[in-house]
Amino acid sequence: MAYEVATPVFEGPFDLLLHLILREQVELWEVDLARIVDAYLAELQKLDTLDLDVATEFLLIAATLVELKTRRLLPGSDDIDLDEEFGLWEQRDLLLSRLLECKTFKDASAALQRMAERAERSYARRAGMEEQFLGLTPDLLDGVTPAQLHKAYLKAISPKPVTKVDLEHVAPIRLSVWEAIDELADELPRVGKISFRRLTGQLVERLEIIVRFLAVLELYKQGLINLDQGQRFGDIEITWIGDTAGIAAVDRELVDSYEG
Amino acid sequence: MASEVERAIEAILMVADEPIPPDLLAQVLEIPTARVEEICAELATRYQVDDRGFVLARVAGGYRYQTHTDLAPYVERFVLEGQSARLSAAALETLAIVAYKQPVSRAQVSAIRGVNVDGVMRTLQLRGYVDEVGRDPGPGQAVLYGTTPLFLEKLGLDSLRELPPLGEFVPGAEVVEALEQGLSEPS
Amino acid sequence: MASEVERAIEAILMVADEPIPPDLLAQVLEIPTARVEEICAELATRYQVDDRGFVLARVAGGYRYQTHTDLAPYVERFVLEGQSARLSAAALETLAIVAYKQPVSRAQVSAIRGVNVDGVMRTLQLRGYVDEVGRDPGPGQAVLYGTTPLFLEKLGLDSLRELPPLGEFVPGAEVVEALEQGLSEPS
């Protein structure tokens, strides 16, 4: 049973993960992973300067989450190669240290908030100079020319820069995991059986494939499809075993709980 | 031990930037005006006895803190040495907006600059470069500001018509208005 | 009997509209900076002992008069527009990262928060709490950000050294354990 995320707005995946694990005290296994990965994808799309380090790390963490969850869901996942195991530990440690760092600053910000609240209760005197001394103050307009004033006006009324970066070339991935589920639940009952490779053959972006893969895992978890992998790293055979109503068969409650 | 109202009066007068009439203090503190005057007189005496560098003066129908006249030489030196002698970029932009758009309210200037301009406007007014010139006839009756003769004199201008004209590259009134609208909405 | 310099400091701070650094007071009064700091500390204590409604605070590297926090309810009734808008949780978290890790680039802040912070950083810069302080010498020359004196004023701090050490906020063992648990495989 997937953990239902019925929570308000989260600021990105770290926020969501911290909330789920620390507040709701659920384990990742119970978490509706699709939502978290979607949160990652959404953030990735929003990065307006394409910072490779940040983007790579986001992807790595999203991939770690997917892998952690896959291990739980895929059949025959108990025989695992040790190197892979170590790699996964490493990635999990990275995710853990990221979450700890994020939490540290969250708590620090709460302290800053308390300081600001206290400071706000004390109002500063800003009365400024008494009239009798004003005559002494150096003339502030000394050396200012009408041309400078004109320039300052043009600067003041010019629209404030609003950074908007064209992201078209980054091929934004618009599909969310739940949209992919809907799509598959519509398509699979009609084809009955298909390999994962064929299912994703048209897709170019790795992220899109990951999204499809997560959708397949959700359907598997809900008992709507069967997965069969002839050999490790081999293609995965997907067989629809739900009723033919297709999309209606998907747990609507889960879908409804998702508002990414 | 000072009383709560006495301390409240000190606090309010400390943040006020003009003389505060006793009625207003009485109203805020919910005590009779006569009591306010009594307390202010006591405070004034107290500062004098304690030999403070400031006094509580009754000026223009209200109370305010002022420097003690004895200390004028120090304050003068502070004014001469301490004040930065040039208008900040923020102040110059604010002044420019008032000059070109007068009569204009503080809220309108704020909207154009995208920041609160109360402090800057007060400085400009204290310096005598801008002044209140009327009130917006619309709801709210906002105070409208314009530039002063001193401003013209300092810039070496005879009249506002001598300000450099705004060229055609300046956004039209409707663009500026749309911009103001957009910026004035809380984000 | 208060000393002349003590009274002069009171008078100067009364006409100041921003925190006045001790160096400037020392220069105007022709006394050592250390003496200014001594006198200001004495004055602050004196106001406290006398139970005044105002305090002499040290904020953002200077001295200024402020109201006593106790009296906020009265002052609020009087100050109509003073309150600056509250910062959102997102803005505060971003501000905390800039405060502790400055100089820091937007990408670095993004990586820590796990979200894009471009919009929030722009807001913080517009409100004057952070500003560009330089550029990363490495490839890409990312703009680096730091906090401003206004940030210190907002928090009522004299300097960044007064921020509580970040170590105080590192999650305790139970949180680390809960997170490890949350991320671990079921056995």
Side-chain angles (χ1 to χ4, degrees), chain A residues 7-152:
Chain A
T7 31
V9 189
F10 284 100
E11 266 249 289
F14 286 172
D15 203 24
L16 183 55
L17 270 174
L18 284 170
H19 174 87
L20 289 173
I21 297 174
L22 296 179
R23 287 274 177 80
E24 310 276 322
Q25 302 191 331
V26 298
E27 291 186 17
L28 193 55
W29 313 109
E30 306 167 81
V31 169
D32 176 1
L33 190 59
R35 187 181 158 104
I36 295 173
V37 173
D38 276 348
Y40 265 106
L41 300 186
E43 287 307 328
L44 205 54
Q45 283 180 43
K46 276 195 266 165
L47 288 177
D48 44 76
T49 39
L50 193 62
D51 187 293
L52 275 185
D53 285 344
V54 177
T56 310
E57 182 161 317
F58 273 29
L59 270 185
L60 182 61
I61 289 173
T64 306
L65 285 168
V66 173
E67 180 150 13
L68 284 166
K69 182 119 183 184
T70 311
R71 297 281 288 277
R72 167 72 164 170
L73 294 174
L74 263 192
S77 60
D78 17 342
D79 74 305
I80 283 287
D81 163 326
L82 264 184
D83 282 351
E84 258 183 53
E85 191 77 340
F86 282 130
L88 186 57
W89 284 347
E90 233 172 71
Q91 290 164 28
R92 198 166 55 204
D93 283 350
L94 170 74
L95 177 54
L96 180 64
S97 67
R98 280 313 190 201
L99 287 178
L100 285 174
E101 189 177 27
C102 185
K103 175 90 172 96
T104 301
F105 283 105
K106 266 184 194 300
D107 292 349
S109 79
L112 296 196
Q113 167 86 5
R114 287 191 295 276
M115 290 157 81
E117 272 167 16
R118 196 191 142 68
E120 261 166 33
R121 294 175 57 76
S122 183
Y123 294 78
R125 177 168 176 87
R126 299 190 193 279
M129 202 50 69
E130 288 167 18
E131 305 82 346
Q132 54 167 320
F133 302 111
L134 276 176
L136 291 171
T137 54
D139 178 28
L140 294 183
L141 283 182
D142 205 20
V144 174
T145 65
Q148 283 171 330
L149 193 78
H150 181 244
K151 212 171 124 196

Side-chain angles (χ1 to χ4, degrees), chain C residues 133-148:
Chain C
V133 294
R135 286 198 172 257
D136 193 337
Q141 306 243 311
V143 174
L144 299 176
Y145 293 84
T147 54
T148 62

Side-chain angles (χ1 to χ4, degrees), chain B residues 5 11 16 31 48 56 58 65 91 99 107 110 121 130-131 139 150 155 168:
Chain B
V5 279
I31 55 172
Q48 211 174 345
L56 182 57
R58 173 119 193 193
Y65 282 115
S110 275
M121 285 291 275
V130 308
D131 208 355
L150 180 68
L155 258 78
E168 278 161 20

